[in-house]
Amino acid sequence: AVVSTQSTGESVGAELSEIGFNLVSAARKGKRGGGVAFLLRSNIKYSRCKTQTLSFECLEIFVKGTVGLRLAVVYRTGNNHDQFITEFEEKKKYSALIPLL
């Protein structure tokens, strides 16, 4: 997992693809720079999960295989500690209820 990527992912993603990797990224919205990402080997099958948060950046994927695995990368920005804790706790509950398909 990568936080504060400082990249749109397009140019870096193309270079990584040439050496056998995929860059799965979510750019920071409303601000320049930043974002979060996963760097995966190109033979790993995954799907992107829908995620909406207000107090932190989040990218969630489901890695497909013999045993499914849900991964999330979280990056908290600013001084919004209380809002982050509340929203993160709700996110954990919600993610635990969604079945892995």
Side-chain angles (χ1 to χ4, degrees), residues 16-68:
L16 290 169
S17 179
E18 291 176 12
I19 59 172
F21 289 90
N22 288 325
L23 182 67
V24 183
S25 63
R28 182 174 291 161
K29 293 182 179 154
K31 299 177 185 174
R32 63 183 195 102
V36 291
F38 283 104
L39 184 61
L40 304 171
R41 288 209 174 265
S42 58
N43 65 336
I44 295 176
K45 296 188 185 317
Y46 70 92
S47 61
R48 201 171 172 144
C49 303
K50 290 183 181 181
T51 303
Q52 280 190 313
T53 58
L54 298 174
S55 62
F56 58 94
E57 295 174 32
C58 182
L59 173 61
E60 195 172 0
I61 62 172
F62 174 67
V63 177
K64 301 172 183 179
T66 305
V67 176

